[in-house]
Amino acid sequence: EVLAHFGGLTPMFAADEQSFCRINGMGRAKYVQLQAVLEMSRRALKEEVHAGDAMNSPQAVRDYLRLILQGRQQEVFVALFLDAQHRVIATEELFRGTLTQTSVYPREVVKRALHHNAAAMIFAHNHPSGVAEPSQSDQLLTDALKQALGLVDVRVLDHFIVAGAGCLSFAEKGLV
């Protein structure tokens, strides 16, 4: 009944406490339990992503990014910083924008890459609209980041767009 009300797990987990508690039989305790399950899932996937070569477990990376970006109401830009063996050093939310866009500054991305001593990076952002197709702006941004990071010998391995239940990889589409 709760799943039917929200239209699936993703919108249910994205619901705020007030919306969730309006459903008959659901209260604050149940809401907190579900949020705890979601957070434990995020942490488990983060451990999996951080434990090995990100390029050898692209599905784990994709699942992790979907968990941290799916259901956000505004665009968010995230970076995974990788070492020379493509193990994840750190994950950071670098920029947050509006419903339809976020401003990403290559200079700041380069500064964070140098801070983490990254050899490679994977980017991701969400499309709250639910459409996973990259815009021309997304492609131009990826190219600009690739060029800026190339000047300091940091490779851009992929850029993901998370939209609804989908997750598009620029690398798989030949766009990186």
Side-chain angles (χ1 to χ4, degrees):
E1 194 175 311
V2 174
L3 287 174
H5 174 82
F6 287 107
L9 283 173
T10 300
M12 181 183 75
F13 281 126
D16 61 37
E17 183 178 352
Q18 189 177 17
S19 301
F20 187 83
C21 292
R22 275 193 222 119
I23 299 170
N24 190 27
M26 296 294 126
R28 180 165 168 43
K30 192 58 68 182
Y31 176 78
V32 170
Q33 284 177 330
L34 286 172
Q35 292 304 309
V37 167
L38 184 60
E39 183 59 27
M40 286 187 295
S41 298
R42 279 188 191 111
R43 290 180 186 194
L45 279 170
K46 184 176 184 179
E47 284 178 11
E48 187 177 338
V49 167
H50 282 251
D53 178 341
M55 299 315 289
N56 282 341
S57 56
Q59 191 58 46
V61 172
R62 188 182 304 262
D63 292 343
Y64 173 62
L65 292 171
R66 281 183 54 226
L67 263 179
I68 63 173
L69 292 173
Q70 200 170 29
R72 298 282 195 104
Q73 298 303 309
Q74 71 274 8
E75 276 202 21
V76 177
F77 186 85
V78 172
L80 278 69
F81 301 90
L82 310 172
D83 67 13
Q85 285 75 43
H86 299 155
R87 293 179 302 226
V88 178
I89 299 167
T91 304
E92 287 185 18
E93 179 182 307
L94 296 178
F95 305 100
R96 186 180 296 207
T98 65
L99 178 65
T100 58
Q101 68 181 24
T102 187
S103 295
V104 176
Y105 302 99
R107 180 179 193 273
E108 297 303 315
V109 175
V110 170
K111 282 171 55 176
R112 297 308 299 156
L114 293 172
H115 169 81
H116 289 293
N117 199 27
M121 295 183 72
I122 296 173
F123 300 114
H125 75 280
N126 63 320
H127 282 178
S129 66
V131 178
E133 283 304 309
S135 67
Q136 184 177 5
S137 297
D138 294 335
Q139 185 61 55
L140 291 171
L141 171 63
T142 303
D143 293 342
L145 290 170
K146 191 174 173 181
Q147 183 178 22
L149 289 162
L151 295 172
V152 292
D153 294 324
V154 177
R155 290 185 54 217
V156 174
L157 301 179
D158 208 343
H159 185 163
F160 290 92
I161 297 176
V162 175
C167 188
L168 177 132
S169 161
F170 277 49
E172 288 174 1
K173 293 274 190 185
L175 300 173
V176 175

